Amino acid sequence: MHLSLLYRGRLSSCNYECAYCPFAKTYDSRAALRRDADDLARFVDWATQQRMDLSILFTPWGEGLVRRHYRDAMTRLSHLPQVRRVAIQTNLCVGMRWLDEVDTRTLALWCTYHPTQVSRAAFLARCRELARRGVRHSVGMVALHEHLDEIEALRAELPAHTPLWLNAYDERPPGYYDDAQIERLQRIDPHFRYNLDPAPSLGAPCLTGENVVSVDGDGNVKRCHFVAEPLGNLYDGSYAAQLRARTCPNSRCDCYIGYAHRPDLPFQRDYAGGVLERVPSFVL
């Protein structure tokens, strides 16, 4: 058996302040950070005891890698023989020395470039260091109008084998992108339209709830981040009896970490082996 887990704990603080970001920007107290670290340690201990194959993506509301407990967790998980992949969404702001201890055959990073928060030169230098270390990674941006030139400049300076994915701006008004802009963005990311204009989801097949689940800091298990239906708890094992094939109950799914698990869309094929970290199969 193979199970993919989307882990989102209590962390909600971020060192960046992007105006468009939908994630909560709150201050995490010392007590909240200790609780988040304890929750994460419990999750890692659970993973250590499993015999089934696991793939894990951390999707914190804030920036996880600035916190040592996330770096330590990823390092430990990367060395477990039952872990196929451990990845995290990150703005890539932290130093690279922690990567000295990881197993790069297992670890991967989903990196987002925020032009208002960091220079392109600094971000590219970090990407080059990831490549030098052999760390699998993808790079992405939110496709704001004011960043279209920056998107093309980043693509031109990234190595050809580094994937650059694009998310449509969530708060866009109707008609935000014209046809020429959409074509321009699709030349960078051929899958951009799936994020811009999601296919109807209601009744569509989805692997969430079957071999993909969402887990919070208390171990509560749901199908995914976008379906509230509880499946049980990770730590008492009650979730396992609920795993089965299901269809999507939502009218639409406009987030990659949701629709990437629909087998009727191309992502299970085009990103085979790299779905969680958003790395196309031709890179692996």
Side-chain angles (χ1 to χ4, degrees):
M1 179 181 176
H2 173 246
L3 185 67
S4 291
L5 301 107
L6 312 176
Y7 182 94
R8 178 171 287 166
R10 302 171 196 276
L11 186 77
S12 63
S13 55
C14 185
N15 60 318
Y16 282 3
E17 296 180 347
C18 303
Y20 58 79
C21 184
F23 292 162
K25 294 295 193 302
T26 61
Y27 172 77
D28 284 315
S29 67
R30 289 180 180 270
L33 290 173
R34 283 196 298 270
R35 179 67 184 275
D36 187 60
D38 289 345
D39 290 344
L40 184 55
R42 185 185 186 192
F43 174 75
V44 174
D45 287 343
W46 174 87
T48 302
Q49 298 165 11
Q50 301 309 299
R51 294 185 178 181
M52 61 182 162
D53 288 345
L54 304 173
S55 294
I56 299 161
L57 173 64
F58 293 109
T59 64
W61 285 117
E63 173 55 42
L65 289 184
V66 297
R67 305 299 177 185
R68 180 173 179 176
H69 57 276
Y70 279 90
R71 300 193 300 271
D72 288 348
M74 294 195 68
T75 300
R76 184 177 170 193
L77 289 167
S78 76
H79 290 282
L80 296 180
Q82 66 269 38
V83 172
R84 293 186 187 178
R85 182 80 73 247
V86 55
I88 191 169
Q89 296 174 333
T90 177
N91 60 29
L92 201 59
C93 64
V94 298
M96 301 288 175
R97 284 189 295 178
W98 72 281
L99 294 169
D100 292 344
E101 306 300 323
V102 307
D103 187 337
T104 57
R105 295 171 299 180
T106 307
L107 182 134
L109 300 177
W110 162 327
C111 310
T112 306
Y113 171 46
H114 303 279
T116 63
Q117 307 296 304
V118 64
S119 71
R120 188 193 327 148
F123 184 83
L124 284 165
R126 294 166 190 164
C127 292
R128 286 193 294 272
E129 179 62 11
L130 292 180
R132 186 189 72 79
R133 290 172 173 270
V135 176
R136 181 183 291 108
H137 63 285
S138 67
V139 170
M141 290 181 65
V142 175
L144 289 162
H145 278 174
E146 57 266 36
H147 293 162
L148 296 186
D149 290 342
E150 189 66 23
I151 288 169
E152 292 179 334
L154 182 67
R155 176 66 279 173
E157 293 191 53
L158 282 170
H161 63 270
T162 300
L164 178 57
W165 49 263
L166 301 172
N167 283 347
Y169 173 43
D170 279 343
E171 303 302 319
R172 63 189 181 276
Y176 182 75
Y177 300 104
D178 61 32
D179 290 343
Q181 290 169 331
I182 294 172
E183 182 179 352
R184 185 178 174 186
L185 293 167
Q186 280 196 281
R187 285 198 293 268
I188 303 293
D189 178 1
H191 295 99
F192 175 66
R193 276 193 181 273
Y194 289 97
N195 193 267
L196 173 65
D197 186 19
S201 292
L202 184 62
C206 186
L207 298 176
T208 61
E210 181 180 4
N211 56 31
V212 181
V213 296
S214 169
V215 183
D216 69 14
D218 291 321
N220 296 316
V221 177
K222 301 185 299 184
R223 289 184 54 181
C224 74
H225 293 335
F226 316 109
V227 178
E229 173 192 0
L231 299 183
N233 191 273
L234 193 71
Y235 303 124
D236 66 12
S238 57
Y239 79 97
Q242 302 300 317
L243 297 180
R244 62 177 184 272
R246 289 174 167 86
T247 59
C248 184
N250 297 336
S251 61
R252 68 196 297 265
C253 179
D254 59 4
C255 183
Y256 172 86
I257 58 175
Y259 61 67
H261 301 293
R262 282 180 51 180
D264 60 328
L265 298 181
F267 298 95
Q268 291 293 311
R269 179 194 69 228
D270 294 354
Y271 289 72
V275 170
L276 293 188
E277 65 270 28
R278 214 166 176 172
V279 173
S281 54
F282 73 83
V283 177
L284 303 177

